[in-house]
Amino acid sequence: MALTIHSSFLPHLDPEESLAFYRDVLGFEVRLDVGYAGMRWITVGPAEQPDTAIVLHPVGVGHDVSDAERTLLTELVAKGTVFGVNLATDDLDATFARLDAAGADIVQEPIEQDYGVRDCAVRDPAGNLLRIQQN
């Protein structure tokens, strides 16, 4: 029995900003864009990996989240306290240059880590941390 990762979930604060980042800057394809009850979920992923996706969702979705909790969660996400996902690329320098040119929030330029990985880190428009490593 093999388990695979199908979807990861990251909160967004502004669906249009997140869509522009994941589609136009990272180059992910949009697989679903669903609106419901005034909220919006956007599923994106790399075109060459149709079975792997990131679902961008509103902060604090659910009937069991109070307005005060939703406000706190929104503040924490905007502050960058949510760790996002690790991505990988065959050309880290080109990917970083594209992110930098697009005005991404750069957290760390490409470096060799002590643990054997060369990577960089950026935040998406909501503040989620994305680490990108060299394949």
Side-chain angles (χ1 to χ4, degrees):
M1 177 178 81
L3 285 176
T4 60
I5 296 174
H6 181 269
S7 303
S8 296
F9 288 74
L10 292 176
H12 69 65
L13 300 176
D14 180 322
E16 287 302 324
E17 282 184 354
S18 291
L19 177 62
F21 179 80
Y22 284 91
R23 181 193 58 207
D24 303 337
V25 178
L26 291 180
F28 285 177
E29 66 180 15
V30 178
R31 298 188 183 144
L32 288 172
D33 191 339
V34 178
Y36 177 75
M39 295 181 279
R40 191 168 167 197
W41 286 260
I42 304 167
T43 304
V44 296
E48 58 280 357
Q49 291 183 295
D51 296 330
T52 303
I54 297 173
V55 180
L56 305 166
H57 62 87
V59 175
V61 174
H63 56 75
D64 56 345
V65 178
S66 71
D67 288 343
E69 291 168 330
R70 187 170 290 109
T71 298
L72 177 59
L73 288 169
T74 300
E75 291 170 358
L76 290 171
V77 167
K79 198 174 168 182
T81 57
V82 175
F83 185 82
V85 296
N86 281 5
L87 305 173
T89 179
D90 290 335
D91 191 339
L92 180 62
D93 293 319
T95 300
F96 179 79
R98 189 173 69 233
L99 288 162
D100 194 28
D105 181 4
I106 305 298
V107 176
Q108 173 208 299
E109 294 187 7
I111 62 170
E112 295 286 341
Q113 299 288 356
D114 293 341
Y115 44 87
V117 171
R118 183 166 185 269
D119 69 358
C120 68
V122 299
R123 292 195 189 286
D124 76 4
N128 300 302
L129 183 65
L130 306 178
R131 298 200 72 83
I132 306 170
Q133 70 181 50
Q134 177 74 44
N135 272 339

